[in-house]
Amino acid sequence: EDKVVQSPLSLVVHEGDTVTLNCSYEVTNFRSLLWYKQEKKAPTFLFMLTSSGIEKKSGRLSSILDKKELFSILNITATQTGDSAVYLCAVEVDNYGQNFVFGPGTRLSVLP
Amino acid sequence: DTEVTQTPKHLVMGMTNKKSLKCEQHMGHRAMYWYKQKAKKPPELMFVYSYEKLSINESVPSRFSPECPNSSLLNLHLHALQPEDSALYLCASSQVGGGGTGELFFGEGSRLTVL
């Protein structure tokens, strides 16, 4: 069974801190790994990673994938209260049909 | 146009009602998905349509009936639901293909309450 695990499940930090969120996976027929941010409504896309070792960066957020060790990390530097959200990791697989398997999410709370 | 539009945004129904959730996208995506999300849980896959054909059905009870009338539309027909079916129902779409097909685009969701 395809599985995506995230850690920590929740995290409380203060503004200005740097955080690292972890995602590991055990799947067959891996295609890509995606990070999403979810506040009150639908998840919003952050990054898609397909190749090992290539960092994707967007402002204060960055992410990297290790396909040998089967994990990815999402870094957020200089956190702000607006970063408070659930961060979801999803792996795209193709097992008798295309699918995206989600991890449980990391709930990040950034305090002022 | 990079939107997935879902209607209605909120729905309250009784256990004997029949209602439908609707989803539309005009990005030319040929894979469309229904996910169910309970509070403080990740999205759980219900159905996947690929080229308008049902490709994945994750053992969803028959009181949920999906329909893909064309490449832009996806419906979820609801009948005789239970209170535990109350959740946020998310529609999503993506390209079909190999090697990392790209982003899964989500709609805003339909929040369903079953009384």
Side-chain angles (χ1 to χ4, degrees), chain A residues 6 30-32 34 36 38 40-46 48 50 86 88 90 92 94-105 107, chain B residues 31 33 35 37 40-43 45 48 55-56 58 88 90 94-109 111:
Chain A
Q6 290 185 248
F30 173 92
R31 281 189 173 175
S32 65
L34 299 94
Y36 285 85
Q38 186 172 27
K40 290 182 181 169
K41 292 194 176 176
T44 54
F45 175 75
L46 296 174
M48 182 180 76
T50 54
V86 174
L88 293 164
E92 185 191 357
D94 187 4
N95 296 325
Y96 307 104
Q98 183 172 310
N99 183 14
F100 292 77
V101 181
F102 281 83
R107 185 172 294 275
Chain B
Y33 309 75
Y35 283 88
Q37 188 174 27
K40 299 191 178 182
K41 297 284 187 185
L45 183 69
V48 183
S55 60
I56 296 179
E58 290 286 352
L88 182 68
L90 292 164
S94 75
Q95 298 169 31
V96 176
T101 55
E103 179 183 346
L104 184 65
F105 288 82
F106 282 95
E108 292 278 295
R111 189 163 295 284

Tab-separated table of all heavy atoms in Angstrom, chain A residues 6 30-32 34 36 38 40-46 48 50 86 88 90 92 94-105 107, chain B residues 31 33 35 37 40-43 45 48 55-56 58 88 90 94-109 111:
chain	number	residue	atom	x	y	z
A	6	GLN	N	4.495	12.338	7.276
A	6	GLN	CA	5.044	13.673	7.496
A	6	GLN	C	5.396	13.856	8.966
A	6	GLN	O	4.742	13.306	9.855
A	6	GLN	CB	4.033	14.748	7.091
A	6	GLN	CG	3.816	14.819	5.594
A	6	GLN	CD	2.924	15.962	5.194
A	6	GLN	OE1	1.809	15.753	4.727
A	6	GLN	NE2	3.405	17.181	5.383
A	30	PHE	N	6.487	5.824	-8.499
A	30	PHE	CA	6.611	7.244	-8.150
A	30	PHE	C	6.685	8.075	-9.420
A	30	PHE	O	7.402	7.748	-10.366
A	30	PHE	CB	7.886	7.447	-7.329
A	30	PHE	CG	8.219	8.885	-7.043
A	30	PHE	CD1	7.777	9.486	-5.885
A	30	PHE	CD2	8.992	9.634	-7.933
A	30	PHE	CE1	8.091	10.813	-5.605
A	30	PHE	CE2	9.303	10.952	-7.665
A	30	PHE	CZ	8.862	11.540	-6.497
A	31	ARG	N	5.964	9.199	-9.403
A	31	ARG	CA	6.070	10.144	-10.523
A	31	ARG	C	6.609	11.488	-10.065
A	31	ARG	O	7.471	12.077	-10.688
A	31	ARG	CB	4.706	10.361	-11.165
A	31	ARG	CG	4.291	9.250	-12.090
A	31	ARG	CD	3.066	9.676	-12.821
A	31	ARG	NE	2.678	8.753	-13.853
A	31	ARG	CZ	1.581	8.871	-14.564
A	31	ARG	NH1	0.761	9.879	-14.347
A	31	ARG	NH2	1.288	8.000	-15.489
A	32	SER	N	6.054	12.013	-8.962
A	32	SER	CA	6.501	13.320	-8.493
A	32	SER	C	6.058	13.490	-7.046
A	32	SER	O	5.213	12.740	-6.550
A	32	SER	CB	5.923	14.441	-9.356
A	32	SER	OG	4.518	14.493	-9.241
A	34	LEU	N	4.732	16.594	-4.385
A	34	LEU	CA	4.209	17.960	-4.373
A	34	LEU	C	3.999	18.428	-2.934
A	34	LEU	O	3.668	17.639	-2.053
A	34	LEU	CB	2.870	18.018	-5.117
A	34	LEU	CG	2.910	17.620	-6.580
A	34	LEU	CD1	2.558	16.152	-6.762
A	34	LEU	CD2	1.946	18.469	-7.403
A	36	TYR	N	1.812	21.307	-0.690
A	36	TYR	CA	0.671	22.211	-0.701
A	36	TYR	C	0.563	22.899	0.659
A	36	TYR	O	0.940	22.337	1.687
A	36	TYR	CB	-0.634	21.441	-0.953
A	36	TYR	CG	-0.836	21.003	-2.374
A	36	TYR	CD1	-0.287	19.809	-2.840
A	36	TYR	CD2	-1.565	21.779	-3.270
A	36	TYR	CE1	-0.464	19.407	-4.151
A	36	TYR	CE2	-1.752	21.381	-4.587
A	36	TYR	CZ	-1.197	20.193	-5.011
A	36	TYR	OH	-1.367	19.797	-6.315
A	38	GLN	N	-2.414	24.521	3.100
A	38	GLN	CA	-3.862	24.600	3.259
A	38	GLN	C	-4.196	25.426	4.486
A	38	GLN	O	-3.807	25.096	5.601
A	38	GLN	CB	-4.498	23.201	3.372
A	38	GLN	CG	-6.017	23.254	3.384
A	38	GLN	CD	-6.666	21.894	3.302
A	38	GLN	OE1	-6.100	20.891	3.718
A	38	GLN	NE2	-7.884	21.832	2.760
A	40	LYS	N	-7.844	27.743	5.299
A	40	LYS	CA	-9.203	27.336	5.652
A	40	LYS	C	-9.921	26.576	4.537
A	40	LYS	O	-10.879	25.866	4.791
A	40	LYS	CB	-10.020	28.553	6.055
A	40	LYS	CG	-9.561	29.128	7.380
A	40	LYS	CD	-10.386	30.292	7.830
A	40	LYS	CE	-9.844	30.819	9.156
A	40	LYS	NZ	-10.427	32.093	9.530
A	41	LYS	N	-9.469	26.725	3.341
A	41	LYS	CA	-10.198	26.110	2.229
A	41	LYS	C	-9.317	25.094	1.494
A	41	LYS	O	-8.673	24.275	2.104
A	41	LYS	CB	-10.711	27.202	1.291
A	41	LYS	CG	-11.801	28.044	1.940
A	41	LYS	CD	-12.535	28.867	0.924
A	41	LYS	CE	-13.673	29.626	1.581
A	41	LYS	NZ	-14.356	30.508	0.612
A	42	ALA	N	-9.312	25.170	0.173
A	42	ALA	CA	-8.626	24.150	-0.612
A	42	ALA	C	-7.107	24.318	-0.520
A	42	ALA	O	-6.595	25.411	-0.316
A	42	ALA	CB	-9.064	24.238	-2.064
A	43	PRO	N	-6.370	23.216	-0.673
A	43	PRO	CA	-4.908	23.310	-0.699
A	43	PRO	C	-4.425	24.159	-1.864
A	43	PRO	O	-4.979	24.096	-2.964
A	43	PRO	CB	-4.465	21.851	-0.883
A	43	PRO	CG	-5.630	21.028	-0.436
A	43	PRO	CD	-6.843	21.826	-0.771
A	44	THR	N	-3.396	24.952	-1.610
A	44	THR	CA	-2.771	25.736	-2.682
A	44	THR	C	-1.368	25.201	-2.935
A	44	THR	O	-0.639	24.859	-2.012
A	44	THR	CB	-2.715	27.236	-2.345
A	44	THR	OG1	-2.062	27.392	-1.077
A	44	THR	CG2	-4.091	27.831	-2.259
A	45	PHE	N	-1.020	25.143	-4.193
A	45	PHE	CA	0.213	24.520	-4.648
A	45	PHE	C	1.439	25.335	-4.262
A	45	PHE	O	1.441	26.568	-4.369
A	45	PHE	CB	0.135	24.386	-6.173
A	45	PHE	CG	1.379	23.866	-6.825
A	45	PHE	CD1	1.714	22.533	-6.753
A	45	PHE	CD2	2.205	24.731	-7.538
A	45	PHE	CE1	2.848	22.052	-7.381
A	45	PHE	CE2	3.344	24.258	-8.168
A	45	PHE	CZ	3.666	22.920	-8.093
A	46	LEU	N	2.478	24.653	-3.797
A	46	LEU	CA	3.753	25.301	-3.509
A	46	LEU	C	4.824	24.841	-4.501
A	46	LEU	O	5.394	25.639	-5.228
A	46	LEU	CB	4.199	24.990	-2.079
A	46	LEU	CG	3.309	25.525	-0.949
A	46	LEU	CD1	3.796	25.013	0.395
A	46	LEU	CD2	3.247	27.050	-0.974
A	48	MET	N	6.452	21.335	-7.032
A	48	MET	CA	6.469	19.976	-7.536
A	48	MET	C	7.921	19.567	-7.757
A	48	MET	O	8.691	20.325	-8.351
A	48	MET	CB	5.706	19.843	-8.847
A	48	MET	CG	5.681	18.405	-9.347
A	48	MET	SD	4.790	18.171	-10.881
A	48	MET	CE	5.949	18.831	-12.060
A	50	THR	N	10.522	16.421	-9.072
A	50	THR	CA	10.629	15.134	-9.767
A	50	THR	C	12.047	14.594	-9.742
A	50	THR	O	12.241	13.391	-9.876
A	50	THR	CB	10.172	15.253	-11.229
A	50	THR	OG1	10.906	16.313	-11.859
A	50	THR	CG2	8.690	15.568	-11.317
A	86	VAL	N	-1.699	24.329	7.435
A	86	VAL	CA	-1.313	22.915	7.350
A	86	VAL	C	-0.544	22.739	6.049
A	86	VAL	O	-1.000	23.186	4.987
A	86	VAL	CB	-2.544	21.991	7.373
A	86	VAL	CG1	-2.120	20.540	7.146
A	86	VAL	CG2	-3.282	22.125	8.696
A	88	LEU	N	0.807	20.150	3.390
A	88	LEU	CA	0.547	18.782	2.940
A	88	LEU	C	1.594	18.366	1.921
A	88	LEU	O	1.918	19.123	1.004
A	88	LEU	CB	-0.838	18.704	2.287
A	88	LEU	CG	-2.040	18.919	3.208
A	88	LEU	CD1	-3.288	19.206	2.387
A	88	LEU	CD2	-2.274	17.705	4.082
A	90	ALA	N	2.229	15.480	-0.965
A	90	ALA	CA	1.497	14.502	-1.773
A	90	ALA	C	2.446	13.876	-2.778
A	90	ALA	O	3.331	14.551	-3.308
A	90	ALA	CB	0.338	15.164	-2.502
A	92	GLU	N	2.602	11.753	-6.343
A	92	GLU	CA	1.863	11.289	-7.513
A	92	GLU	C	2.369	9.902	-7.872
A	92	GLU	O	3.567	9.667	-8.006
A	92	GLU	CB	2.062	12.236	-8.687
A	92	GLU	CG	1.227	11.862	-9.890
A	92	GLU	CD	1.610	12.636	-11.134
A	92	GLU	OE1	2.489	13.501	-11.068
A	92	GLU	OE2	1.029	12.345	-12.187
A	94	ASP	N	1.318	6.056	-10.126
A	94	ASP	CA	0.515	5.487	-11.207
A	94	ASP	C	0.428	3.987	-11.000
A	94	ASP	O	1.261	3.239	-11.476
A	94	ASP	CB	1.128	5.799	-12.567
A	94	ASP	CG	0.212	5.356	-13.705
A	94	ASP	OD1	-0.912	4.884	-13.427
A	94	ASP	OD2	0.620	5.469	-14.862
A	95	ASN	N	-0.576	3.606	-10.231
A	95	ASN	CA	-0.831	2.189	-9.970
A	95	ASN	C	-2.220	1.860	-10.470
A	95	ASN	O	-3.198	2.169	-9.807
A	95	ASN	CB	-0.736	1.882	-8.477
A	95	ASN	CG	0.662	2.110	-7.949
A	95	ASN	OD1	1.648	1.875	-8.640
A	95	ASN	ND2	0.766	2.588	-6.733
A	96	TYR	N	-2.331	1.280	-11.658
A	96	TYR	CA	-3.643	0.985	-12.253
A	96	TYR	C	-4.481	2.250	-12.351
A	96	TYR	O	-5.688	2.220	-12.211
A	96	TYR	CB	-4.378	-0.090	-11.428
A	96	TYR	CG	-3.546	-1.325	-11.214
A	96	TYR	CD1	-2.943	-1.574	-9.997
A	96	TYR	CD2	-3.337	-2.220	-12.258
A	96	TYR	CE1	-2.149	-2.691	-9.825
A	96	TYR	CE2	-2.553	-3.342	-12.087
A	96	TYR	CZ	-1.960	-3.567	-10.864
A	96	TYR	OH	-1.189	-4.670	-10.677
A	97	GLY	N	-3.816	3.356	-12.554
A	97	GLY	CA	-4.523	4.637	-12.629
A	97	GLY	C	-3.741	5.694	-11.865
A	97	GLY	O	-3.104	5.422	-10.863
A	98	GLN	N	-3.815	6.899	-12.369
A	98	GLN	CA	-3.051	8.005	-11.780
A	98	GLN	C	-3.699	8.438	-10.476
A	98	GLN	O	-4.920	8.515	-10.364
A	98	GLN	CB	-3.084	9.149	-12.788
A	98	GLN	CG	-2.313	10.357	-12.410
A	98	GLN	CD	-2.281	11.305	-13.594
A	98	GLN	OE1	-1.953	10.897	-14.708
A	98	GLN	NE2	-2.636	12.534	-13.374
A	99	ASN	N	-2.871	8.773	-9.500
A	99	ASN	CA	-3.413	9.153	-8.196
A	99	ASN	C	-2.398	10.016	-7.469
A	99	ASN	O	-1.202	9.984	-7.772
A	99	ASN	CB	-3.681	7.871	-7.389
A	99	ASN	CG	-4.317	8.145	-6.056
A	99	ASN	OD1	-4.806	9.238	-5.803
A	99	ASN	ND2	-4.317	7.159	-5.186
A	100	PHE	N	-2.874	10.801	-6.532
A	100	PHE	CA	-2.025	11.598	-5.651
A	100	PHE	C	-2.321	11.140	-4.224
A	100	PHE	O	-3.455	11.255	-3.770
A	100	PHE	CB	-2.326	13.093	-5.793
A	100	PHE	CG	-1.925	13.679	-7.121
A	100	PHE	CD1	-2.699	13.471	-8.248
A	100	PHE	CD2	-0.772	14.434	-7.239
A	100	PHE	CE1	-2.332	14.007	-9.485
A	100	PHE	CE2	-0.396	14.988	-8.460
A	100	PHE	CZ	-1.179	14.771	-9.586
A	101	VAL	N	-1.302	10.641	-3.543
A	101	VAL	CA	-1.461	10.138	-2.182
A	101	VAL	C	-0.961	11.205	-1.215
A	101	VAL	O	0.187	11.661	-1.335
A	101	VAL	CB	-0.655	8.833	-1.979
A	101	VAL	CG1	-0.838	8.307	-0.563
A	101	VAL	CG2	-1.076	7.789	-3.007
A	102	PHE	N	-1.804	11.581	-0.267
A	102	PHE	CA	-1.464	12.658	0.653
A	102	PHE	C	-0.937	12.119	1.981
A	102	PHE	O	-1.403	11.099	2.487
A	102	PHE	CB	-2.692	13.521	0.931
A	102	PHE	CG	-2.989	14.481	-0.167
A	102	PHE	CD1	-3.699	14.081	-1.289
A	102	PHE	CD2	-2.543	15.805	-0.096
A	102	PHE	CE1	-3.956	14.973	-2.330
A	102	PHE	CE2	-2.805	16.690	-1.128
A	102	PHE	CZ	-3.506	16.284	-2.241
A	103	GLY	N	0.007	12.841	2.554
A	103	GLY	CA	0.418	12.599	3.922
A	103	GLY	C	-0.555	13.281	4.873
A	103	GLY	O	-1.452	14.002	4.444
A	104	PRO	N	-0.371	13.070	6.180
A	104	PRO	CA	-1.313	13.609	7.161
A	104	PRO	C	-1.214	15.118	7.359
A	104	PRO	O	-2.115	15.725	7.926
A	104	PRO	CB	-0.927	12.892	8.457
A	104	PRO	CG	0.505	12.542	8.268
A	104	PRO	CD	0.679	12.265	6.807
A	105	GLY	N	-0.122	15.712	6.881
A	105	GLY	CA	0.039	17.158	7.028
A	105	GLY	C	0.820	17.536	8.278
A	105	GLY	O	0.839	16.794	9.265
A	107	ARG	N	0.828	20.730	10.875
A	107	ARG	CA	0.125	21.956	11.261
A	107	ARG	C	1.134	22.907	11.867
A	107	ARG	O	1.674	22.645	12.938
A	107	ARG	CB	-0.987	21.636	12.253
A	107	ARG	CG	-1.863	22.833	12.624
A	107	ARG	CD	-3.060	22.383	13.460
A	107	ARG	NE	-3.953	21.547	12.675
A	107	ARG	CZ	-4.913	22.012	11.884
A	107	ARG	NH1	-5.112	23.295	11.766
A	107	ARG	NH2	-5.681	21.174	11.212
B	31	ALA	N	-7.662	14.417	-16.433
B	31	ALA	CA	-7.825	13.642	-15.206
B	31	ALA	C	-8.557	14.528	-14.205
B	31	ALA	O	-8.171	15.676	-13.985
B	31	ALA	CB	-6.476	13.209	-14.627
B	33	TYR	N	-10.695	14.445	-10.261
B	33	TYR	CA	-10.677	13.692	-8.994
B	33	TYR	C	-11.737	14.226	-8.043
B	33	TYR	O	-12.011	15.430	-8.028
B	33	TYR	CB	-9.323	13.892	-8.284
B	33	TYR	CG	-8.090	13.643	-9.116
B	33	TYR	CD1	-7.678	14.551	-10.082
B	33	TYR	CD2	-7.310	12.507	-8.901
B	33	TYR	CE1	-6.539	14.331	-10.837
B	33	TYR	CE2	-6.165	12.282	-9.647
B	33	TYR	CZ	-5.785	13.200	-10.612
B	33	TYR	OH	-4.647	12.978	-11.344
B	35	TYR	N	-12.036	14.220	-3.887
B	35	TYR	CA	-11.451	13.905	-2.599
B	35	TYR	C	-12.448	14.300	-1.508
B	35	TYR	O	-13.190	15.272	-1.644
B	35	TYR	CB	-10.166	14.708	-2.357
B	35	TYR	CG	-8.949	14.201	-3.085
B	35	TYR	CD1	-8.656	14.622	-4.375
B	35	TYR	CD2	-8.070	13.317	-2.465
B	35	TYR	CE1	-7.517	14.162	-5.037
B	35	TYR	CE2	-6.929	12.856	-3.121
B	35	TYR	CZ	-6.667	13.284	-4.403
B	35	TYR	OH	-5.547	12.829	-5.053
B	37	GLN	N	-12.519	15.392	2.571
B	37	GLN	CA	-11.631	15.814	3.646
B	37	GLN	C	-12.421	16.105	4.913
B	37	GLN	O	-13.273	16.989	4.930
B	37	GLN	CB	-10.816	17.044	3.244
B	37	GLN	CG	-9.740	17.399	4.252
B	37	GLN	CD	-8.830	18.526	3.805
B	37	GLN	OE1	-9.220	19.379	3.024
B	37	GLN	NE2	-7.594	18.532	4.308
B	40	LYS	N	-9.241	18.407	10.150
B	40	LYS	CA	-7.900	18.094	10.658
B	40	LYS	C	-7.335	16.796	10.079
B	40	LYS	O	-6.479	16.156	10.696
B	40	LYS	CB	-7.882	18.039	12.189
B	40	LYS	CG	-8.288	19.365	12.806
B	40	LYS	CD	-8.033	19.414	14.291
B	40	LYS	CE	-8.404	20.776	14.841
B	40	LYS	NZ	-8.147	20.912	16.262
B	41	LYS	N	-7.818	16.396	8.919
B	41	LYS	CA	-7.300	15.211	8.225
B	41	LYS	C	-6.900	15.603	6.808
B	41	LYS	O	-7.408	16.592	6.267
B	41	LYS	CB	-8.383	14.121	8.145
B	41	LYS	CG	-8.832	13.604	9.493
B	41	LYS	CD	-7.805	12.681	10.066
B	41	LYS	CE	-8.324	12.020	11.333
B	41	LYS	NZ	-7.296	11.195	11.976
B	42	PRO	N	-6.009	14.828	6.166
B	42	PRO	CA	-5.663	15.145	4.787
B	42	PRO	C	-6.787	14.725	3.835
B	42	PRO	O	-7.659	13.950	4.213
B	42	PRO	CB	-4.415	14.286	4.538
B	42	PRO	CG	-4.580	13.130	5.460
B	42	PRO	CD	-5.271	13.664	6.681
B	43	PRO	N	-6.746	15.203	2.604
B	43	PRO	CA	-7.735	14.752	1.617
B	43	PRO	C	-7.614	13.251	1.368
B	43	PRO	O	-6.509	12.720	1.260
B	43	PRO	CB	-7.363	15.539	0.356
B	43	PRO	CG	-6.591	16.720	0.846
B	43	PRO	CD	-5.861	16.245	2.058
B	45	LEU	N	-8.743	10.209	-1.229
B	45	LEU	CA	-9.230	10.000	-2.582
B	45	LEU	C	-10.521	9.187	-2.589
B	45	LEU	O	-10.652	8.178	-1.878
B	45	LEU	CB	-8.173	9.261	-3.404
B	45	LEU	CG	-8.531	9.030	-4.863
B	45	LEU	CD1	-8.534	10.351	-5.628
B	45	LEU	CD2	-7.576	8.043	-5.504
B	48	VAL	N	-11.235	8.754	-9.359
B	48	VAL	CA	-10.437	9.396	-10.396
B	48	VAL	C	-11.053	9.064	-11.744
B	48	VAL	O	-11.353	7.900	-12.020
B	48	VAL	CB	-8.969	8.916	-10.394
B	48	VAL	CG1	-8.164	9.675	-11.456
B	48	VAL	CG2	-8.330	9.090	-9.033
B	55	SER	N	-11.290	5.549	-13.528
B	55	SER	CA	-10.087	4.715	-13.456
B	55	SER	C	-9.807	4.239	-12.041
B	55	SER	O	-9.177	3.203	-11.849
B	55	SER	CB	-8.870	5.464	-14.013
B	55	SER	OG	-8.626	6.654	-13.278
B	56	ILE	N	-10.228	4.991	-11.048
B	56	ILE	CA	-10.037	4.561	-9.658
B	56	ILE	C	-11.316	4.837	-8.875
B	56	ILE	O	-11.872	5.935	-8.944
B	56	ILE	CB	-8.852	5.289	-8.970
B	56	ILE	CG1	-7.533	4.936	-9.660
B	56	ILE	CG2	-8.795	4.944	-7.487
B	56	ILE	CD1	-6.322	5.623	-9.053
B	58	GLU	N	-12.143	4.218	-4.910
B	58	GLU	CA	-11.511	3.735	-3.672
B	58	GLU	C	-12.544	3.143	-2.716
B	58	GLU	O	-12.679	3.595	-1.583
B	58	GLU	CB	-10.736	4.875	-2.987
B	58	GLU	CG	-9.503	5.301	-3.733
B	58	GLU	CD	-8.375	4.294	-3.595
B	58	GLU	OE1	-8.489	3.333	-2.812
B	58	GLU	OE2	-7.354	4.452	-4.285
B	88	LEU	N	-15.726	18.220	3.820
B	88	LEU	CA	-15.407	19.091	2.689
B	88	LEU	C	-15.104	18.187	1.496
B	88	LEU	O	-14.246	17.307	1.597
B	88	LEU	CB	-14.202	19.968	3.010
B	88	LEU	CG	-13.759	20.966	1.940
B	88	LEU	CD1	-14.795	22.070	1.754
B	88	LEU	CD2	-12.404	21.559	2.303
B	90	LEU	N	-13.656	17.947	-2.143
B	90	LEU	CA	-12.757	18.691	-3.018
B	90	LEU	C	-12.698	18.031	-4.388
B	90	LEU	O	-12.489	16.831	-4.508
B	90	LEU	CB	-11.334	18.716	-2.435
B	90	LEU	CG	-11.149	19.517	-1.152
B	90	LEU	CD1	-9.837	19.143	-0.476
B	90	LEU	CD2	-11.177	21.004	-1.443
B	94	SER	N	-5.901	17.428	-13.184
B	94	SER	CA	-4.485	17.447	-13.545
B	94	SER	C	-4.345	16.935	-14.973
B	94	SER	O	-5.288	16.404	-15.557
B	94	SER	CB	-3.652	16.575	-12.599
B	94	SER	OG	-3.848	15.201	-12.872
B	95	GLN	N	-3.146	17.091	-15.501
B	95	GLN	CA	-2.844	16.474	-16.791
B	95	GLN	C	-2.729	14.970	-16.600
B	95	GLN	O	-2.544	14.486	-15.476
B	95	GLN	CB	-1.522	17.020	-17.336
B	95	GLN	CG	-1.549	18.506	-17.598
B	95	GLN	CD	-0.154	19.029	-17.882
B	95	GLN	OE1	0.696	18.318	-18.437
B	95	GLN	NE2	0.101	20.254	-17.507
B	96	VAL	N	-2.783	14.238	-17.683
B	96	VAL	CA	-2.562	12.792	-17.667
B	96	VAL	C	-1.256	12.519	-18.390
B	96	VAL	O	-0.987	13.106	-19.426
B	96	VAL	CB	-3.694	12.042	-18.392
B	96	VAL	CG1	-3.400	10.548	-18.442
B	96	VAL	CG2	-5.013	12.284	-17.699
B	97	GLY	N	-0.420	11.661	-17.816
B	97	GLY	CA	0.818	11.334	-18.507
B	97	GLY	C	1.868	10.853	-17.540
B	97	GLY	O	1.610	10.704	-16.360
B	98	GLY	N	3.050	10.627	-18.026
B	98	GLY	CA	4.099	10.095	-17.166
B	98	GLY	C	5.095	11.162	-16.770
B	98	GLY	O	5.028	12.303	-17.191
B	99	GLY	N	6.022	10.771	-15.942
B	99	GLY	CA	7.158	11.605	-15.578
B	99	GLY	C	6.825	12.817	-14.756
B	99	GLY	O	7.517	13.831	-14.839
B	100	GLY	N	5.776	12.747	-13.982
B	100	GLY	CA	5.402	13.925	-13.201
B	100	GLY	C	4.496	14.806	-14.033
B	100	GLY	O	4.940	15.655	-14.795
B	101	THR	N	3.234	14.578	-13.909
B	101	THR	CA	2.309	15.234	-14.825
B	101	THR	C	2.015	16.664	-14.436
B	101	THR	O	1.349	17.365	-15.159
B	101	THR	CB	0.980	14.476	-14.865
B	101	THR	OG1	0.481	14.348	-13.542
B	101	THR	CG2	1.169	13.111	-15.478
B	102	GLY	N	2.485	17.082	-13.293
B	102	GLY	CA	2.226	18.466	-12.948
B	102	GLY	C	1.277	18.581	-11.786
B	102	GLY	O	0.828	17.614	-11.198
B	103	GLU	N	0.975	19.796	-11.529
B	103	GLU	CA	0.203	20.168	-10.355
B	103	GLU	C	-1.198	19.577	-10.372
B	103	GLU	O	-1.818	19.426	-11.425
B	103	GLU	CB	0.115	21.685	-10.327
B	103	GLU	CG	-0.666	22.279	-9.191
B	103	GLU	CD	-0.747	23.789	-9.318
B	103	GLU	OE1	0.013	24.357	-10.127
B	103	GLU	OE2	-1.579	24.372	-8.626
B	104	LEU	N	-1.661	19.253	-9.189
B	104	LEU	CA	-3.052	18.897	-8.978
B	104	LEU	C	-3.756	20.192	-8.585
B	104	LEU	O	-3.440	20.793	-7.565
B	104	LEU	CB	-3.119	17.871	-7.856
B	104	LEU	CG	-4.469	17.268	-7.498
B	104	LEU	CD1	-5.002	16.440	-8.646
B	104	LEU	CD2	-4.341	16.404	-6.243
B	105	PHE	N	-4.670	20.640	-9.430
B	105	PHE	CA	-5.377	21.899	-9.174
B	105	PHE	C	-6.666	21.600	-8.424
B	105	PHE	O	-7.484	20.806	-8.884
B	105	PHE	CB	-5.745	22.586	-10.499
B	105	PHE	CG	-4.579	23.174	-11.224
B	105	PHE	CD1	-3.771	22.378	-12.014
B	105	PHE	CD2	-4.295	24.529	-11.146
B	105	PHE	CE1	-2.694	22.913	-12.701
B	105	PHE	CE2	-3.226	25.069	-11.833
B	105	PHE	CZ	-2.416	24.260	-12.609
B	106	PHE	N	-6.863	22.279	-7.296
B	106	PHE	CA	-8.050	22.056	-6.481
B	106	PHE	C	-9.087	23.151	-6.676
B	106	PHE	O	-8.752	24.325	-6.878
B	106	PHE	CB	-7.683	22.046	-4.995
B	106	PHE	CG	-7.048	20.765	-4.531
B	106	PHE	CD1	-5.673	20.646	-4.471
B	106	PHE	CD2	-7.829	19.688	-4.152
B	106	PHE	CE1	-5.079	19.464	-4.049
B	106	PHE	CE2	-7.248	18.505	-3.725
B	106	PHE	CZ	-5.872	18.396	-3.677
B	107	GLY	N	-10.345	22.759	-6.570
B	107	GLY	CA	-11.422	23.727	-6.406
B	107	GLY	C	-11.488	24.164	-4.947
B	107	GLY	O	-10.766	23.641	-4.085
B	108	GLU	N	-12.396	25.108	-4.674
B	108	GLU	CA	-12.526	25.645	-3.309
B	108	GLU	C	-13.225	24.668	-2.374
B	108	GLU	O	-13.190	24.831	-1.172
B	108	GLU	CB	-13.326	26.952	-3.328
B	108	GLU	CG	-12.606	28.107	-3.998
B	108	GLU	CD	-11.622	28.771	-3.036
B	108	GLU	OE1	-12.055	29.352	-2.032
B	108	GLU	OE2	-10.406	28.681	-3.296
B	109	GLY	N	-13.869	23.680	-2.939
B	109	GLY	CA	-14.530	22.676	-2.122
B	109	GLY	C	-16.004	22.968	-1.906
B	109	GLY	O	-16.457	24.118	-2.005
B	111	ARG	N	-18.691	22.283	1.076
B	111	ARG	CA	-18.805	21.816	2.462
B	111	ARG	C	-20.198	21.231	2.669
B	111	ARG	O	-21.190	21.933	2.581
B	111	ARG	CB	-18.546	22.958	3.452
B	111	ARG	CG	-18.442	22.444	4.885
B	111	ARG	CD	-17.797	23.437	5.832
B	111	ARG	NE	-16.400	23.727	5.541
B	111	ARG	CZ	-15.382	22.927	5.817
B	111	ARG	NH1	-15.594	21.749	6.408
B	111	ARG	NH2	-14.155	23.286	5.535
